[in-house]
Amino acid sequence: MQKRPLKKILGTLAAAIGLAGSLAASAADPLKVGFVYVGPIGDHGWTYQHEQGRKALEAQMGDKIKTSYVENVAEGADAERVIRDMAKDKYDLIFTTSFGYMNPTVKVAKQFPKVIFEHATGYKQDKNLGTYLARTYEGRYVGGFLAAKMTKSKKIGYVASFPIPEVIRDINAIQLALNKYNPGTEMKVVWVNSWFDPGKEADAANALVDQGVDVIFQHTDSPAPIQTAERRGVYAVGYASDMAHFGPKAVLTSIVNNWAPHYIASTQAVLDGTWKSQDYWGGLNDGTVELPISDVVPADVKAEAEKLIASIKSGEFKPFTGPIKDQTGAVKIAAGASASNAELASMNYYVEGITAQMPK
């Protein structure tokens, strides 16, 4: 029997101990969670709220995770590069937070099957790619109710970003409420083709007020439309975060996105090894959408709005319940039927009552 030198035996033993120690350290390594943001974390809107969600996730998980983010990432090729760099850097879970990141996320997810991805507001899933979004249209419908009650001119304005399904269905939700609670009220839409451009957003809001609008909604990320409404003496509805402090005399409510519960639940699922791809829709009922109604709203109107919110939370009322027709009068949702998630996710038409033409 061949004898091994003592030095070699000790060396082999040391290597084995080193490997075991390395594996133990690896097992204890924190989960790496990355976030890709379309705007600056200080936009006071969409990206700001995702950043609050990331901070809440860190506070909840402590040293079990390590997070980081990249802000101001343009949709398209730049997004693909940033997402791929995170995947190469051995991130375990990556959240991509803008509609225009959908195809880049899909592409990178296929290239890194061991990394888990979640994309906000999109509709494409894979084994390692899930989607999540907020039912902001629930809040928009309540905002439309408030606008219907508060308008004097019967002209409502909307500062819009891009004509994607999320924006279209939110505009439609407002119009449905206007049709019910103040028939004949007109919705004017100005497209700025940007998520975050305070100058363009302010110009759009001013143009709407010049046309007689006395309640302004926005689907953009800065508080500029709110500040314009405050300055011009009209009402406004904030978006993504509570914008009341930017327009204390103007803001009726804000459709607030609270992403923390979803970020915590998804990250915990990854840690537990139970994560599965899903199409998650959070709304008023689970706190993903919040509606702080300001004291600018009269008490009786506020009480009615709270009842409406309660009926949406309970599932008794769903804003997109038929019959719903498009601008041409064609029935899109049959009487008594409620729009499915698939129908909501692909909405590409204006409802009856909107006279504006959708951009191509």
Side-chain angles (χ1 to χ4, degrees):
M1 180 173 142
Q2 187 176 4
K3 293 184 180 179
R4 297 175 66 191
L6 181 60
K7 269 188 180 180
K8 186 173 282 190
I9 293 171
L10 291 175
T12 303
L13 183 60
I17 292 170
L19 177 60
S22 174
L23 289 173
S26 175
D29 284 347
L31 191 82
K32 291 182 72 174
V33 185
F35 294 78
V36 184
Y37 297 148
V38 72
I41 60 172
D43 67 1
H44 301 290
W46 176 261
T47 294
Y48 173 83
Q49 283 302 111
H50 284 282
E51 175 64 1
Q52 299 314 298
R54 184 191 69 83
K55 288 179 177 178
L57 173 64
E58 279 194 335
Q60 177 75 18
M61 297 294 182
D63 59 7
K64 291 189 290 186
I65 66 167
K66 180 181 179 181
T67 76
S68 69
Y69 65 85
V70 182
E71 59 186 325
N72 289 314
V73 178
E75 296 173 329
D78 198 31
E80 184 179 326
R81 175 186 59 78
V82 170
I83 298 165
R84 183 177 288 105
D85 284 349
M86 277 190 172
K88 284 181 177 178
D89 202 22
K90 300 189 184 304
Y91 276 76
D92 303 288
L93 172 61
I94 300 172
F95 293 100
T96 61
T97 64
S98 191
F99 183 83
Y101 295 163
M102 181 167 63
N103 289 334
T105 304
V106 169
K107 185 174 180 179
V108 178
K110 288 185 183 299
Q111 296 167 346
F112 293 86
K114 292 183 179 179
V115 178
I116 292 172
F117 298 82
E118 289 204 8
H119 173 240
T121 75
Y123 53 84
K124 294 181 179 180
Q125 295 94 35
D126 209 333
K127 287 182 180 179
N128 63 327
L129 169 60
T131 50
Y132 64 104
L133 76 170
R135 296 187 188 274
T136 50
Y137 65 86
E138 294 177 341
R140 297 291 191 188
Y141 187 92
V142 179
F145 162 79
L146 294 173
K149 294 293 183 178
M150 301 298 286
T151 183
K152 298 289 194 298
S153 66
K154 296 190 70 163
K155 293 180 180 179
I156 309 301
Y158 199 97
V159 180
S161 47
F162 299 98
I164 62 174
E166 176 194 355
V167 179
I168 300 302
R169 66 175 171 264
D170 278 16
I171 292 171
N172 284 341
I174 296 167
Q175 187 64 52
L176 291 174
L178 297 176
N179 292 347
K180 181 173 181 179
Y181 294 104
N182 197 340
T185 301
E186 180 185 4
M187 175 104 73
K188 294 180 177 292
V189 182
V190 175
W191 297 91
V192 296
N193 297 309
S194 173
W195 290 115
F196 180 77
D197 189 324
K200 280 187 178 180
E201 294 171 56
D203 288 346
N206 275 312
L208 288 166
V209 177
D210 290 344
Q211 294 176 63
V213 162
D214 62 0
V215 184
I216 294 175
F217 288 77
Q218 67 178 100
H219 210 126
T220 51
D221 298 346
S222 90
I226 304 297
Q227 294 166 320
T228 301
E230 178 83 357
R231 189 170 56 253
R232 297 290 302 270
V234 300
Y235 295 122
V237 174
Y239 174 62
S241 67
D242 187 353
M243 294 186 170
H245 52 291
F246 291 106
K249 295 178 182 177
V251 173
L252 304 175
T253 188
S254 295
I255 292 90
V256 179
N257 296 321
N258 178 14
W259 300 110
H262 179 69
Y263 286 150
I264 291 169
S266 286
T267 303
Q268 188 62 57
V270 174
L271 285 167
D272 294 341
T274 60
W275 184 93
K276 291 182 179 179
S277 174
Q278 64 170 331
D279 182 26
Y280 172 78
W281 292 62
L284 284 169
N285 68 331
D286 68 357
T288 301
V289 177
E290 299 171 346
L291 278 175
I293 299 175
S294 78
D295 291 336
V296 173
V297 178
D300 60 331
V301 176
K302 184 174 183 177
E304 199 174 344
E306 295 289 3
K307 287 182 181 178
L308 181 56
I309 291 170
S311 70
I312 295 173
K313 282 184 176 181
S314 70
E316 177 189 349
F317 174 69
K318 296 182 179 180
F320 284 99
T321 298
I324 293 176
K325 299 178 180 179
D326 68 11
Q327 287 176 308
T328 69
V331 175
K332 306 300 286 188
I333 302 172
S338 295
S340 66
N341 285 349
E343 288 173 318
L344 293 167
S346 59
M347 194 165 284
N348 62 354
Y349 60 87
Y350 279 151
V351 297
E352 201 169 38
I354 300 177
T355 58
Q357 294 302 306
M358 194 182 301
K360 295 180 179 178

